[in-house]
Amino acid sequence: MADLAGIALSGLRASQTSLSTTSHNIVNVDTEGYSRQKTGLGTRVPQSYGGSFVGQGVDVESISRVSNQYVVDQLRRDIASHSSFDSYYEYAVRVDQLLGDDSTAITPSLQSFFDAVQDVTNDPASIPSRQVLISSGEALANRFNAVYEQVYQTNETLNIELDAVASKITQLGASIASYNESIQAVYTNNTGELPNDLLDQRDEAIRQLSELVGVDVLQQQNLSVSIFVGSGQPLVIGNDSFSVETVSNASGLSRKELIITDGTSVQNITNLVSGGRLSGLLSVREELIDPVFNELGRMALSVSQSFNDQHQLGMDLDNQLGGLFFGDINSTPAEFARIAGDTANSGTASLSVTIDDTNLLTAEDYRLRFDAGTGNYTLFNADNSVNATFADPGPGGTFSTTDGFTLNFIAGAPADGDEFTILPTRLGAVEMSMEVTDVRQIAAALPVTTNLPSTNTGGGYIQEVVVDDTTTADFTTTPFALTPAYRVEFTSSTTYDVINAGTNAIVAGGVAFTPGQSNGLLEQAGLYPASGYDVVFNGNPGTNDIVEIGYNNGGVNDNRNALLLGELSAAKTIANGTVTFQSAYGQLVSGVGTRTNDAAVSQEAAETILNQSQSQWESISGVNLDEEAANLIRFQQSYQASARVIQVSSELFDTIISSL
């Protein structure tokens, strides 16, 4: 006969265990990563009695976690995706606000600067207007410097965060390896029983890891897991973990790269990781911060060079030829700062970079590599396509690229495999400075003047004076004078002679003239462009009419060069003559804004997907207090019922004893 007390006792133990499990669920409702547990019950082997089987009660067969591995894996992927977009958006907003806010943007300062140029154009002799122009130039240079500094600080913040994330990844990897060891020990010593709480804690560590970097998790038969990052680089293998560390970029740039190491071997995983906050940080650096550095630098170089070039073609209040208005973009420190040798280089080659034409510059960095086998250098674009291949010029040699800059090989010799990072524009914004400090040095006038004597009888007129090179002998031999000064005499309405005004010798005679259209008097006489300037004449000159050409001494009220300086505001001087200063900055702001908006949309979508995955996990593994409360009542009643059976069994036993 079945043991009534034994059956009741098994039910009592089963109910007690179920109550304990339910209580465990309830108190861990707020524990991160906790998966609810349930008690698995099984019927005891029945006893054969009189041709039938009589039940023997119930056994607690397991206490298991309620978990769906597919849902867990999907949740990890969605966490990694959301974290990546979230970190990208966080930094993108900073850069977007920096470039777009009027208090920090370049556009207001640029507009104020050219407004000041216009004021000088309106009154070139005005000392206050000239002082405002100098102040506006300083403000513009300072604004470029300040925006660069803000972007630089954002980049430094990102570097610091990369350090922290790498350290946290290493800690979590070590923690997961430790959980592996503990789980294996429990699993082995308890003949296959699952350590539920340890499994939860390990899953929570993996979840936290997926917030930082995308991971692949491989489950082993002994319940341990292996964790891989990047393109399959191991972070955890069984009880062993590896370190993720940051190192300074080999080219000397202010940026951190990521390596994974086991203490002996090292692998760079900067370009391999995906997902998690780490991926977002690296992406925003590549797609936003570095391009902003280069675009700002290219714009600053273009403003400086184009304004300097035109300013040097003018004349100041002291009749001196114009000098640099902004700082020299090809100063020695600037040229050497544009190239950085790889720290692994074994050669001694020293190089610098000269900017030849800011209009041809791209907003990219380049890589230069030497191959001793061929004796050639190869210049690579940012996408690793070949830009140019050329033989080693040797010390003192140069190589001019088609992208507006020249490589100068200063000294030393390269070794096989030596590499250099070339940064033509990256530092342009921070290096921008003012050169003119005296209001009298502003070259608002042109150094060439013309005069039409009142005795002229024809209808010819000076259309314009073109000055494009003040370094020629015509300007430099004698101060405050053209060497020589010219006099143009029309021998007929269609011919003229060019005469040296100092010696009265004919320099060019019988030069053809076309009435009623533009004629470059010196160009048609074969004297330009060697002269560095030309006088464009139009109309219908009379025979014996004269054009006198000389140096512009005392041109205090001359605004011709100021007009040309002002026209630079609308000139397309960037990206092969396709973009103005304002348009270039507008495109930069627009590009950053577009990426920021895309990041916001992606973040919102990723958050929605993550919430769905989280809800799915909660519906399967989360603790529902209402459900647990109902279970608590149910198991309590079951416990009480089993206890009542024991009581009945005792009463029956007492009745039997008393009847004997």
Side-chain angles (χ1 to χ4, degrees):
M1 181 178 179
D3 183 358
L4 184 62
I7 293 174
L9 189 59
S10 72
L12 197 68
R13 284 196 295 263
S15 298
Q16 185 179 26
T17 302
S18 296
L19 282 169
S20 297
T21 301
T22 300
S23 300
H24 189 56
N25 288 339
I26 291 172
V27 297
N28 282 285
V29 64
D30 294 320
T31 301
E32 287 290 339
Y34 177 80
S35 300
R36 69 184 180 91
Q37 299 176 11
K38 67 176 182 179
T39 304
L41 303 179
T43 305
R44 286 181 174 179
V45 177
Q47 180 180 355
S48 177
Y49 183 80
S52 299
F53 289 93
V54 179
Q56 297 298 302
V58 65
D59 282 329
V60 176
E61 294 186 339
S62 67
I63 300 175
S64 61
R65 295 191 308 158
V66 180
S67 179
N68 183 307
Q69 193 59 46
Y70 172 80
V71 173
V72 170
D73 291 342
Q74 184 61 50
L75 179 59
R76 288 172 186 160
R77 288 192 292 269
D78 293 340
I79 288 173
S81 177
H82 174 263
S83 184
S84 177
F85 287 122
D86 190 59
S87 61
Y88 189 105
Y89 177 69
E90 177 185 330
Y91 279 84
V93 167
R94 296 186 195 181
V95 178
D96 185 45
Q97 292 176 344
L98 171 65
L99 298 179
D101 193 293
D102 284 347
S103 64
T104 55
I106 299 294
T107 301
S109 294
L110 190 64
Q111 185 61 52
S112 296
F113 174 70
F114 279 105
D115 287 346
V117 174
Q118 184 61 47
D119 290 341
V120 173
T121 300
N122 295 336
D123 188 359
S126 170
I127 298 302
S129 294
R130 287 170 171 260
Q131 184 59 61
V132 170
L133 177 56
I134 290 178
S135 298
S136 297
E138 290 175 342
L140 179 60
N142 290 338
R143 180 59 59 87
F144 271 107
N145 299 162
V147 174
Y148 174 92
E149 181 62 27
Q150 290 296 319
V151 178
Y152 179 83
Q153 290 303 326
T154 300
N155 186 63
E156 287 300 289
T157 300
L158 188 147
N159 282 335
I160 293 172
E161 185 164 1
L162 285 176
D163 290 338
V165 170
S167 176
K168 184 65 174 177
I169 289 174
T170 300
Q171 293 175 11
L172 287 171
S175 178
I176 293 169
S178 177
Y179 282 128
N180 278 343
E181 185 175 8
S182 299
I183 289 169
Q184 290 176 60
V186 173
Y187 184 68
T188 301
N189 295 335
N190 290 275
T191 62
E193 288 296 324
L194 298 180
N196 295 323
D197 293 329
L198 283 176
L199 292 172
D200 279 344
Q201 291 167 19
R202 186 180 66 184
D203 277 358
E204 173 61 16
I206 298 174
R207 186 197 66 79
Q208 293 178 17
L209 182 64
S210 65
E211 290 181 352
L212 304 178
V213 64
V215 296
D216 290 320
V217 181
L218 181 61
Q219 184 80 43
Q220 306 294 339
Q221 289 185 348
N222 60 0
L223 289 189
S224 69
V225 294
S226 295
I227 309 291
F228 301 91
V229 298
S231 59
Q233 287 69 36
L235 177 66
V236 177
I237 299 293
N239 301 342
D240 298 321
S241 66
F242 302 88
S243 296
V244 174
E245 302 172 4
T246 58
V247 294
S248 296
N249 184 271
S251 66
L253 291 176
S254 178
R255 58 189 295 169
K256 295 294 183 71
E257 293 194 340
L258 295 163
I259 60 170
I260 190 165
T261 175
D262 61 359
T264 56
S265 62
V266 174
Q267 184 174 2
N268 191 313
I269 60 171
T270 306
N271 298 322
L272 302 177
V273 296
S274 61
R277 190 166 184 83
L278 199 58
S279 176
L281 295 176
L282 295 174
S283 295
V284 79
R285 183 174 70 183
E286 294 295 326
E287 298 176 9
L288 276 184
I289 293 178
D290 285 351
V292 167
F293 274 135
N294 289 343
E295 288 287 1
L296 280 175
R298 180 170 69 163
M299 185 177 173
L301 289 170
S302 182
V303 171
S304 297
Q305 189 61 44
S306 58
F307 205 86
N308 281 348
D309 287 348
Q310 187 60 55
H311 192 261
Q312 288 176 294
L313 299 177
M315 186 188 76
D316 65 19
L317 285 181
D318 296 322
N319 301 323
Q320 298 280 0
L321 293 173
L324 295 173
F325 187 88
F326 292 107
D328 183 7
I329 67 169
N330 285 319
S331 65
T332 299
E335 289 188 340
F336 277 100
R338 293 180 185 131
I339 190 164
D342 194 292
T343 54
N345 287 356
S346 57
T348 59
S350 173
L351 287 78
S352 68
V353 176
T354 299
I355 302 298
D356 302 320
D357 188 350
T358 56
N359 195 18
L360 299 178
L361 291 175
T362 69
E364 294 184 358
D365 298 334
Y366 301 80
R367 181 168 59 90
L368 184 68
R369 181 180 178 85
F370 180 71
D371 182 357
T374 62
N376 291 336
Y377 279 100
T378 301
L379 181 66
F380 296 93
N381 296 314
D383 61 1
N384 284 324
S385 61
V386 175
N387 181 288
T389 300
F390 56 94
D392 180 10
T398 61
F399 176 76
S400 296
T401 71
T402 58
D403 289 346
F405 63 90
T406 293
L407 301 175
N408 307 307
F409 295 81
I410 308 302
D416 184 49
D418 280 1
E419 290 194 357
F420 302 85
T421 301
I422 300 169
L423 315 163
T425 62
R426 187 179 181 91
L427 301 176
V430 72
E431 291 173 345
M432 189 175 183
S433 63
M434 278 291 292
E435 189 72 19
V436 168
T437 57
D438 188 337
V439 294
R440 301 188 64 83
Q441 295 175 331
I442 296 175
L446 283 181
V448 177
T449 188
T450 59
N451 181 54
L452 302 179
S454 60
T455 55
N456 286 359
T457 60
Y461 61 92
I462 304 297
Q463 182 174 325
E464 66 174 320
V465 173
V466 177
V467 180
D468 59 15
D469 188 357
T470 55
T471 64
T472 66
D474 298 67
F475 290 98
T476 58
T477 302
T478 304
F480 314 133
L482 292 180
T483 308
Y486 292 118
R487 185 174 69 253
V488 175
E489 295 183 358
F490 284 89
T491 55
S492 71
S493 63
T494 58
T495 59
Y496 64 91
D497 296 337
V498 179
I499 299 171
N500 184 321
T503 63
N504 286 322
I506 295 177
V507 178
V511 182
F513 181 87
T514 304
Q517 71 179 41
S518 301
N519 293 261
L521 297 180
L522 300 188
E523 181 180 19
Q524 293 173 188
L527 301 175
Y528 175 83
S531 60
Y533 71 95
D534 198 6
V535 176
V536 180
F537 199 77
N538 206 331
N540 299 284
T543 302
N544 298 323
D545 279 2
I546 293 174
V547 178
E548 297 173 342
I549 306 171
Y551 193 84
N552 189 18
N553 284 308
V556 174
N557 290 309
D558 184 355
N559 69 350
R560 289 176 295 166
N561 199 45
L563 284 168
L564 296 173
L565 288 170
E567 289 175 0
L568 292 174
S569 174
K572 294 181 178 180
T573 56
I574 302 177
N576 290 307
T578 60
V579 181
T580 65
F581 301 140
Q582 296 281 16
S583 296
Y585 191 74
Q587 289 178 6
L588 174 61
V589 173
S590 176
V592 172
T594 298
R595 288 190 177 276
T596 303
N597 183 66
D598 290 345
V601 173
S602 298
Q603 181 208 37
E604 185 176 352
E607 184 174 9
T608 299
I609 294 172
L610 174 59
N611 289 338
Q612 292 173 351
S613 295
Q614 184 69 37
S615 296
Q616 187 177 12
W617 181 89
E618 289 283 353
S619 68
I620 296 173
S621 302
V623 175
N624 185 312
L625 289 178
D626 291 338
E627 181 182 346
E628 297 302 327
N631 286 337
L632 199 62
I633 295 173
R634 180 162 63 92
F635 296 139
Q636 180 186 13
Q637 291 174 342
S638 175
Y639 185 91
Q640 291 172 341
S642 295
R644 178 58 181 159
V645 172
I646 293 176
Q647 182 181 357
V648 169
S649 174
S650 176
E651 291 174 353
L652 289 175
F653 182 76
D654 289 342
T655 301
I656 293 172
I657 293 299
S658 62
S659 65
L660 294 178

